Structure formats: C-alpha cells, structure tokens
Amino acid sequence: MGSIGSMNKPENGFLTALIQFPVPIVNSRADIDKQIESIVRTLHATKAGYPGLELIVFPEYSTQGLNTAKWLTEEFLCDVPGPETDTFGQACKEAGVYGVFSIMERNPDPTKNPYNTAIIIDPNGEICLKYRKLFPWNPIEPWYPGDLGMPVCDGPAGSKLAVCICHDGMIPELAREAAYKGCNVYIRISGYSTQVNEQWILTNRSNAWHNLMYTLAVNLAGYDNVFYYFGEGQITNYDGTVLVQGHRNPWEIVTGEVFPCQADQARRSWGLENNIYNLGHRGYVALPGGESDAGLTYIKDLAAGKYKLPWEDEMKIKDGSIYGYPTTGGRFGQ
C-alpha cells in the first residue's frame, strides 16, 4: 500500500487522506471564516481526486490558527456543536466521508479557559466523536485540561476510531487507553513546530506498536512568521512500521489504505509481543491466566491523586509565566 495508486476503496479496508494544511495566518473573525471555507473546499476537492476516500483528516489549529495574542478572545472561539461544525457536517454529508476537524471551543463555564477540541463527523453529517485535549502543550498552550476522557467511535470498514491532539501523542498512557477501549485506528492531529519533529515520528510508531493499532498523524505545514510547522503526515502500521511518510510541504496530501481487520487479527492471534494483553496477564505460561497486578506505583498514585515525581519540588517551570500567563488560575485573555 502507499500513496501511489491509492485512489479507490480497498477491499476489507478504507482509504484515508491526511491534509498537510498550510499554517493559518489569522488576525480576525473574517480570517477564521476564510479558513472554514478553505477546509470545506479542500475536503470536496480531495474527495473528487480520490473517489474512494472514506476518512479525511485536518490538523490541529487549521480552523482558528495560532494567533497567541487573540486565541483566547471571544471573537476567536467557537461552540461545539455550532455554526462551524454544522458547516463541516454539511460538507461531510455532501462528500460522503468521515472528517476530523480542530476547534478551539468556548468553555461552557465562563470562569475557565477554553478547550482545545477535536471532532469526528460521520458521512451523515453528524458528530460521532468529541474529544477535548487532555494534555495541553505546557507551558505554551493556555487550554483548560479536557474532561471527556478518551472516547472511541465506529469508523469505516470496521474501524474503531479515537483522536488525540498534538502533545497528547507524547503520553503513551493515552494511546493505551484508546486501545483498551477498542480503538484500532488512532488519529493524531497536530500543530507542532519543528522542535519535536523526530519525536513526532518516533511516538507515532511507538503508539502503534505498543497497542497493535494503526496510527494516522498529520501536522500543519509552513511558516507563520514565528515558527515553521513540519507537515510530516504519517500512516503507521500496527507493527510500528511506517507505511506512508509525508514531507514538509504545505498542501501535501498523504493517502494510504488502512485495514482495521488486520490489526484486530493481530490482537486476537499473536502470541509473541501481544503486549497490550500481556500487561494484564503477566507470566501466563507459568500462572494460568497470568498476574493482573503489575504493582506499578505511578498508576496507583495517579488513581489516588498522589502522583508526584522524585524531582518535582526542584522543577523550574510549573506554570505559564514564561509566556506571560497569570499564575492565579481562572479565565484569562478575554
């Protein structure tokens, strides 16, 4: 499988397209409206060029951009659902595709900062998954920590889809949570600049391998007068090998065939390296059924609300003051 020739629906699988959307330069609500028009236009054009497409993925920040001077203002925020998601829903319905979109979502509690949200819309135009970023990219991002957990939904060709956002992909426990809930295609939408390009590639692969699931990952591309965003759309097989790798080009479309049934088969039939099973069934050869408690201190401490690193009191940066954010909590940047 690969980008060459991938334009029709494969048997027992689906065709996906990851859009290396140019990093938006957004200074006003009118600019956001232009971005929405561009996303819709791109969705329809991509479907026309690849008639077998069933899943189209747009990166983080592709709707509202990364204007840090304004990204917390009411003018720049959206609701989910709202007029913007209705527009995306209509486009998905007209094209007959699943779409993944990025929204900076107004917090229903006006005393708290907004959420960084991803949605999946189905071919009927309905939101079938809503996810709020659990791990904002501290200390840069001011988003409120997500409160919806790691949801999973049905997708094309028997897939079970989950979405993480950018820095979430650096947290292996999130990928494991998605897989534990049945996800076999883990989508990562990002707005990373080049500081973590290599780590992006590495974690997309490790998240796939550790959990025997496909990963589909795409980043913004281009220069926004501050940072360069690396693109690098990536489709990774459930064994951790890269199937398709994009480059740094804005507007590059990374396409590939995905076969969820093969990931499912590996999970059910592999003996060696079935690590997501082994985690809860240690030593099952010697002990029938295996040992379920690995005695992992950090998991117990997380559950008890007592997570603390041995060096935590010595850490230099534990708030957003380096980027000028207040340290008092509550809603700011309005």
Side-chain angles (χ1 to χ4, degrees):
M1 67 143 280
S3 293
I4 297 175
S6 294
M7 59 89 174
N8 58 294
K9 173 179 169 57
E11 293 184 13
N12 303 316
F14 68 88
L15 181 64
T16 187
L18 315 178
I19 311 296
Q20 292 182 192
F21 208 71
V23 58
I25 307 297
V26 175
N27 294 303
S28 68
R29 176 65 216 197
D31 291 335
I32 294 173
D33 293 338
K34 291 177 182 177
Q35 287 301 120
I36 293 169
E37 293 173 3
S38 180
I39 290 169
V40 169
R41 184 168 58 250
T42 302
L43 185 147
H44 283 299
T46 305
K47 175 65 175 181
Y50 302 86
L53 272 179
E54 294 186 82
L55 174 66
I56 301 179
V57 183
F58 291 89
E60 180 190 29
Y61 292 117
S62 52
T63 304
Q64 290 139 288
L66 298 98
N67 185 332
T68 58
K70 293 187 175 183
W71 61 359
L72 290 170
T73 62
E74 285 298 308
E75 178 189 19
F76 270 48
L77 299 176
C78 301
D79 295 311
V80 180
E84 299 81 11
T85 63
D86 289 346
T87 298
F88 293 149
Q90 183 62 33
C92 288
K93 184 175 182 180
E94 291 171 358
V97 297
Y98 287 84
V100 181
F101 306 96
S102 170
I103 294 285
M104 302 305 119
E105 180 190 8
R106 182 179 290 104
N107 196 317
D109 183 343
T111 69
K112 296 177 180 177
N113 275 13
Y115 292 107
N116 184 335
T117 298
I119 56 171
I120 300 179
I121 296 178
D122 68 22
N124 296 315
E126 302 294 329
I127 296 174
C128 56
L129 183 146
K130 177 180 175 179
Y131 168 72
R132 289 170 171 162
K133 190 174 188 177
L134 286 170
F135 290 90
W137 195 26
N138 295 335
I140 293 177
E141 290 183 331
W143 313 120
Y144 203 76
D147 61 353
L148 300 179
M150 176 54 67
V152 175
C153 72
D154 291 335
S159 61
K160 300 291 185 181
L161 306 177
V163 179
C164 74
I165 303 175
C166 203
H167 182 61
D168 284 333
M170 302 294 187
I171 309 297
E173 290 81 0
L174 273 194
R176 177 57 52 84
E177 172 73 359
Y180 188 73
K181 296 172 76 170
C183 171
N184 53 22
V185 179
Y186 192 51
I187 302 165
R188 184 182 190 182
I189 62 171
S190 294
Y192 266 138
S193 45
T194 51
Q195 297 99 320
V196 290
N197 196 167
E198 291 301 318
Q199 292 76 12
W200 152 272
I201 294 171
L202 183 153
T203 49
N204 292 334
R205 297 184 66 179
S206 62
N207 286 335
W209 169 237
H210 291 157
N211 299 290
L212 297 181
M213 63 186 178
Y214 287 88
T215 59
L216 313 180
V218 67
N219 198 75
L220 291 172
Y223 181 58
D224 70 349
N225 300 318
V226 179
F227 294 115
Y228 193 89
Y229 301 81
F230 53 72
E232 298 276 9
Q234 185 178 346
I235 300 175
T236 305
N237 200 21
Y238 56 88
D239 65 357
T241 57
V242 176
L243 298 171
V244 186
Q245 179 67 60
H247 304 92
R248 292 197 170 189
N249 307 315
W251 289 119
E252 185 172 351
I253 300 174
V254 177
T255 64
E257 298 166 343
V258 178
F259 299 91
C261 60
Q262 294 183 10
D264 292 343
Q265 182 181 7
R267 287 173 168 179
R268 294 182 179 121
S269 63
W270 281 17
L272 292 175
E273 300 299 337
N274 200 329
N275 297 312
I276 188 171
Y277 177 79
N278 292 340
L279 177 63
H281 302 84
R282 295 187 299 116
Y284 65 76
V285 173
L287 175 66
E291 172 58 62
S292 61
D293 185 359
L296 299 177
T297 304
Y298 87 98
I299 291 180
K300 294 179 179 180
D301 285 355
L302 273 173
K306 300 189 300 181
Y307 184 88
K308 186 175 181 180
L309 301 169
W311 58 89
E312 191 160 316
D313 291 338
E314 302 168 17
M315 291 183 62
K316 305 299 183 185
I317 298 178
K318 294 194 284 186
D319 59 43
S321 58
I322 191 173
Y323 281 96
Y325 297 127
T327 61
T328 54
R331 178 77 163 91
F332 54 88
Q334 299 181 72

